[in-house]
Each structure stands twice: as C-alpha cells, then as structure tokens.
Amino acid sequence: MEIAITAPSGNVGRFLVGHLVRAGIRPRLLSRHPARPRATWGDLVDAREVDLRDAAAVTEATRGVDALFLVVPPGEADDPVAAYAEVGEVVAAAVAENRVPRTVLQSSVGAELREGAGEIDGLALVEEALDRVVAKHADLAVTHLRCGYFFSNLLFELDSIRSGTVAVLLPTGQPFSWVAPADIAAVAASLLLRADWSGRRVQAVHGPQDLSWDDVVAVVGDVLGRTVTAHRVGDDDMRATLAGAGMSPARVEAIMGMSTGLRDGFVPEQPRTPVTTTDTTLGAWAWAELRPTLDATG
C-alpha cells in the first residue's frame, strides 16, 4: 500500500508517520524540507521535496498513491484564505489525474460555515475542491477531519503563560472542542490503512471534552504550578495588536475570524459522540509537551 503524507514534520504528521511505519508501511513524505523527516526515519520513509503550490511536482509525487493525507500549511501569505484555495486546487487536480482512491483532509471545526470563520474559510475551499473531484469520479473518496482547537496552539502562548495572563477573543467561559494532535494522527492512520470506505465523509475529532479558556488555564496552571488566567480583549484592540505586528489586513481578519466566526451561537455540525471523542486529556498533553517546552525556553 502506497500512502502519501503532506507536512510530515508538523504537529499531526510527525505522529502519523510513526503510526504508518509501525504498521509496516513505508510512507511517501511530501515536504519542502525532506531532510527533517529523513533524519528521524532514514530509509523507513520515502521523503521527497515537494512544494504543494507546484502542480507538476504534486502530480508526480502522488502518482501511484493509494491514499493521501493532506495538510495545507498556513504559510506566511498576506491572504491565507487565498493561499489555502490555491493549494486545494493543485492537490484536487492531482488526485483527479492520478485517481488517488482515498484522501483524508485535516480540516477544522467551523469549515462547515463555508465563510465567516477567517483562516478556516480556506480549509472550506479545500474541502469543496476535493468534493468536486469525488462528485465527478465515483471511484474516489474523501474524508474531511473536522478537528477541534489544537492543544499545541498553547505553545504560541508561552510568553503569556509566563506572565500569568492569556489574552483571548472568546468569552473566557465559552466551551469548545480541544484536541491533541497525536489523537488526530491516530484517527487519520485508521482511515488511511483501511480501504473499505467510499464517497464523501466528514468525521469530527473533538478531543476528550469541550473546554473553555477558563478551564484550559486552570489545567495549565495546575500542571505548571503557577497561576494563569484568561483575559478577554476587545476585537478592535486585538486587530490593532495584530496590525501593529506588521500583518496585512487580510491576515489580521484571517486570524480574527477563527475566533469571532465561532463565537456567537456556533454549534459544530458534527456532535460529540463516542466516535468523535478522543482520549488524550489537556493535563496529560501539558505535562508531556507544554511543561518541558516552557522549561527549555526559560
């Protein structure tokens, strides 16, 4: 079985590679920096240098593939939504040309809105590009993994956690789904290694429980042995902060929308069930990854 993985050194990909290698697969890793996974896995992987915006390279790299795991990296584009759309069209064309039987897309809760959710709108466009291919070719299939908010996003808040206050856009008591990247990798592996599914599928990956920012900082504080609080800031204040950091207007709105678009009465299309619930708790993740990272960076 030939399985290709994009972003193999990312938050999810680095765990997914391990699952496939241990299952006896030599995965094909598509990366702009193939030396990174090659240094870890050696000849157990087929690491290839591929830019997902390069149509010819993507088509060649996915030739003969039985299943593809697609992560569209956000990159540093001034307009992230347009950048997602560009990659989505490139990969969808390659899937169609090479008749890749199964594609698993790392999408996000909120993509079901199709617009109004900032950067997540880009993932909605990728979903739609793959959906058009599957609708046209009955022998092809796609599963969109609508993932919750990554625990690993807390690694971008190290300075705030050290200071004791994390600034957020959502009401600090509003619960939403949080998930460990390793659990997403496990779900993805189970789909990539199976050939008994077809058509267009959507599966949420909601993590073990919905958590508010108040819940999250309480858990983080307990693990780290310090007091951490969440502080809600106004939309205009956050926009000013992001713009002051040199971000383009489109990039500012892409970041803002991931919170503001999921704030007022949003309910995920896929409910929490035993199928969409995964195991790793925030406390376990924080002890294993956040705590040592915080210690290592001072």
Side-chain angles (χ1 to χ4, degrees):
M1 182 181 291
E2 287 284 342
I3 298 177
I5 302 175
T6 66
S9 300
N11 289 313
V12 174
R14 63 191 178 96
F15 293 106
L16 179 56
V17 173
H19 285 305
L20 297 181
V21 167
R22 288 185 288 272
I25 301 295
R26 184 172 185 257
R28 191 181 301 182
L29 311 184
L30 315 186
S31 172
R32 294 180 64 185
H33 306 286
R36 295 176 185 173
R38 198 178 289 131
T40 301
W41 299 102
D43 290 338
L44 293 172
V45 300
D46 174 11
R48 305 185 184 188
E49 184 172 357
V50 178
D51 186 330
L52 294 182
R53 297 166 298 181
D54 184 334
V58 172
T59 299
E60 178 59 31
T62 55
R63 205 175 305 280
V65 163
D66 298 299
L68 168 68
F69 180 68
L70 175 60
V71 178
V72 182
E76 299 298 328
D78 284 341
D79 185 345
V81 174
Y84 275 101
E86 177 186 5
V87 171
E89 293 296 337
V90 166
V91 175
V95 167
E97 180 169 336
N98 290 326
R99 293 295 194 272
V100 176
R102 289 167 289 120
T103 300
V104 177
L105 170 67
Q106 181 183 299
S107 188
S108 173
V109 167
E112 61 265 46
L113 294 175
R114 293 314 194 217
E115 60 180 17
E119 194 167 306
I120 297 171
D121 293 353
L123 286 168
L125 293 171
V126 179
E127 286 192 14
E128 290 176 337
L130 292 168
D131 288 348
R132 288 192 293 271
V133 171
V134 171
K136 185 175 181 181
H137 303 285
D139 56 330
L140 306 186
V142 64
T143 294
H144 305 306
L145 295 182
R146 298 252 178 89
C147 305
Y149 196 71
F150 284 20
F151 292 159
S152 55
N153 287 332
L154 291 171
L155 297 175
F156 296 114
E157 302 289 348
L158 295 181
D159 289 341
S160 297
I161 291 169
R162 287 191 188 95
S163 75
T165 304
V166 179
V168 301
L169 285 166
L170 292 174
T172 61
Q174 177 180 327
F176 55 103
S177 61
W178 288 72
V179 64
D183 288 359
I184 299 170
V187 173
S190 70
L191 290 166
L192 293 166
L193 290 166
R194 288 170 42 206
D196 61 346
W197 54 276
S198 61
R200 177 191 185 270
R201 303 173 70 253
V202 178
Q203 181 167 334
V205 191
H206 285 316
Q209 64 182 125
D210 290 357
L211 299 167
S212 69
W213 273 106
D214 286 336
D215 297 328
V216 167
V217 295
V219 171
V220 167
D222 285 345
V223 169
L224 300 179
R226 63 177 71 194
T227 299
V228 186
T229 60
H231 169 66
R232 185 177 180 185
V233 299
D235 294 357
D236 290 342
D237 290 338
M238 183 63 79
R239 282 190 177 91
T241 297
L242 297 173
M247 295 184 186
S248 68
R251 190 162 188 82
V252 168
E253 292 309 313
I255 292 173
M256 294 288 298
M258 289 189 287
S259 291
T260 60
L262 308 184
R263 187 169 58 191
D264 299 321
F266 170 75
V267 177
E269 184 177 72
Q270 287 73 44
R272 178 174 291 282
T273 68
V275 173
T276 66
T277 298
T278 52
D279 297 326
T280 304
T281 65
L282 174 60
W285 176 88
W287 183 263
E289 298 203 34
L290 180 62
R291 181 182 56 86
T293 302
L294 198 68
D295 290 345
T297 57

